[in-house]
Amino acid sequence: MKQPLVPLATLIGRDVRNLKIEKPIVKYGQAGLARKGEDYFLIKTDCQRIPGDSSTLFSVFAILDGHNGMSAAVFVKENILRNVMSAIPQDISRDEWLQALPRALVVGFVKTDIEFQKKVSPAGETSGTTATFVIIDEWTVTGARYCQWWRSRKTQWPLRCWPGGLCLSRSIGDTDVGEYIVPIPHVKQVKLSNAGGRLIIASDGIWDALSSDVAAKSCRGLPAELAAKLVAKEALRSRGLKDDTTCLVVDIIPSDYPVIPTIPRKKYNMLISLLFRKKSQNSSNKASNKLSAVGVVEELFEGGSAVLTERLGKESPFNMNSGIFRCAVCQVNQPPGDGLAVNCGPFFPSASKSREGPFLCTNCRKKKDAMEGKRPSIPIVDSTA
């Protein structure tokens, strides 16, 4: 699922080179057309990095695209933010907080998956969910998402994992597929210029119908609330309602920019009709609709490896004052004898490696080993379904 970041100046045509850089305003709109009812939003605009300190506000926007039921999507909606935040110390500066976010997102996704599977395994629950999860802190945007489905080069059908028949390589839940499907997300962090930006977050009900360019152009110049509805309607017009079609549009706006007014409801249908009519009349002039390259997006971090060891880094897990190890995933303090550092294993004596790299408790280490294929019951990949 592609998530385009489009400089706001390209959408509303303003010269922002001389604007004073202050905290931006965040505006959003959401739209959803349900076929199965398995997509869920997570929207929180009043989060605080330091509880009780209103100067540390940040926003969270996510779409959970469930499959084979809604249980996994609902569970992720209710727990993932808590799990991400638990992986970041509270007594750090904002710069340190931003640097810690990519790793914390990986930890939060894996921890949420472990908790969900532990909860539903006795009941035989087999639902799962993909996720696109975004944190906006002033001009910095950090996003975690799952990659697109696999597709065979020899056939139009997607590759699938059995048992379960899932055509994804990463998700939360899906206990029937096994550990061949991993919950480790692709993470990217960028810093916007003072031009601001527009972020389009959507489920595959949108991206299977529209390219990122078409989605951005279809809502150009509109307030976020109307833009989200228009993107969803454009996907419906293009492909029909074949899947849950869910969209979030988030604008990161310079604080001194006059906010685009909300369109009155009575004028909404008339405006939609006018926009679609104008689009059909001008469809031949594609060159004139290209977005300009105003504004700069600075890439701060990107990591996509599905290997947990590579994503956890080399942070020391040992508290020299207490003699206690903290698991890098579940964040539970435990005596060192109850677990191992991630570099320990059959090729490394535990005495020489027990303090190298992040520490994992016994349960989280089992999860890591299973994701790395160190457990025999690994489902096969098949493309005939």
Side-chain angles (χ1 to χ4, degrees):
M1 293 182 287
K2 300 178 181 178
Q3 313 296 333
L5 269 170
V6 185
L8 192 65
T10 68
L11 297 169
I12 37 191
R14 185 191 184 200
D15 186 352
V16 293
R17 289 171 293 182
N18 297 320
L19 286 179
K20 182 180 179 181
I21 300 178
E22 297 179 353
K23 290 184 178 181
I25 298 169
V26 176
K27 295 289 183 179
Y28 71 92
Q30 64 188 94
L33 302 170
R35 179 179 174 86
K36 301 177 182 178
E38 296 172 336
D39 283 7
Y40 286 84
F41 293 104
L42 171 59
I43 301 171
K44 290 183 68 68
T45 58
D46 58 351
C47 303
Q48 296 179 348
R49 176 169 53 85
I50 301 175
D53 186 348
S54 60
S55 67
T56 64
L57 285 174
F58 65 93
S59 300
V60 172
F61 298 94
I63 288 180
L64 299 317
D65 186 351
H67 49 262
N68 198 25
M70 63 181 68
S71 297
V74 172
F75 186 89
V76 173
K77 176 182 178 179
E78 295 174 348
N79 293 279
I80 192 166
L81 178 57
R82 169 181 56 81
N83 287 337
V84 170
M85 295 301 295
S86 70
I88 307 177
Q90 291 187 4
D91 57 344
I92 59 176
S93 68
R94 178 175 176 271
D95 287 342
E96 291 171 327
W97 141 265
L98 291 175
Q99 292 176 6
L101 267 180
R103 182 178 184 272
L105 285 167
V106 172
V107 170
F109 273 57
V110 175
K111 184 179 179 182
T112 303
D113 181 66
I114 292 173
E115 289 178 348
F116 178 70
Q117 294 206 20
K118 181 178 180 181
K119 174 185 176 182
V120 303
S121 290
E125 169 69 48
T126 60
S127 68
T129 186
T130 60
T132 302
F133 184 94
V134 177
I135 290 178
I136 300 175
D137 187 323
E138 297 186 13
W139 300 100
T140 302
V141 179
T142 309
R145 64 184 177 89
Y146 289 126
C147 301
Q148 210 165 4
W149 68 357
W150 299 328
R151 188 180 291 278
S152 171
R153 295 179 180 179
K154 297 181 180 180
T155 175
Q156 62 176 332
W157 304 110
L159 294 169
R160 296 182 182 271
C161 292
W162 295 97
L166 191 67
C167 60
L168 298 164
S169 61
R170 310 190 194 200
S171 74
I172 290 175
D174 295 297
T175 57
D176 56 333
V177 181
E179 303 293 352
Y180 196 84
I181 303 300
V182 300
I184 302 172
H186 186 112
V187 178
K188 186 168 185 176
Q189 186 178 70
V190 301
K191 184 176 181 180
L192 304 182
S193 73
N194 60 352
R198 167 163 284 180
L199 178 64
I200 301 177
I201 308 169
S203 64
D204 56 3
I206 299 289
W207 302 125
D208 285 348
L210 306 177
S211 68
S212 57
D213 285 343
V214 169
K217 291 175 184 178
S218 70
C219 63
R220 182 174 182 171
L222 299 174
E225 181 182 3
L226 181 57
K229 292 179 171 63
L230 189 59
V231 171
K233 284 185 175 291
E234 178 68 3
L236 180 64
R237 187 181 72 89
S238 174
R239 188 170 179 262
L241 189 60
K242 296 184 178 180
D243 194 1
D244 291 342
T245 302
T246 310
C247 180
L248 267 170
V249 172
V250 185
D251 286 342
I252 302 100
I253 306 170
S255 59
D256 63 345
Y257 188 87
V259 179
I260 304 173
T262 302
I263 305 297
R265 288 187 176 273
K266 292 182 179 179
K267 296 182 179 180
Y268 174 75
N269 291 333
M270 182 184 300
L271 180 57
I272 290 292
S273 299
L274 176 61
L275 288 169
F276 278 130
R277 186 163 62 249
K278 284 182 65 177
K279 180 170 183 178
S280 63
Q281 291 171 352
N282 297 328
S283 59
S284 60
N285 190 10
K286 295 181 180 180
S288 64
N289 291 327
K290 288 185 177 180
L291 297 178
S292 61
V294 179
V296 177
V297 176
E298 178 187 357
E299 293 191 5
L300 302 178
F301 175 88
E302 184 166 12
S305 172
V307 180
L308 185 60
T309 305
E310 295 177 4
R311 303 297 295 279
L312 290 179
K314 298 180 179 180
E315 179 181 290
S316 174
F318 188 64
N319 186 327
M320 297 299 295
N321 295 324
S322 65
I324 295 295
F325 281 75
R326 170 168 289 187
C327 176
V329 173
C330 69
Q331 302 296 304
V332 175
N333 289 331
Q334 299 185 33
D338 291 345
L340 293 171
V342 295
N343 289 323
C344 281
F347 302 104
F348 301 108
S350 63
S352 65
K353 294 291 181 178
S354 62
R355 297 188 183 184
E356 294 185 17
F359 173 81
L360 296 179
C361 67
T362 301
N363 287 335
C364 291
R365 183 173 177 82
K366 288 179 180 178
K367 176 71 173 180
K368 166 192 167 293
D369 289 345
M371 288 191 292
E372 294 177 0
K374 298 176 182 177
R375 201 162 72 182
S377 58
I378 301 298
I380 61 171
V381 178
D382 179 68
S383 62
T384 60

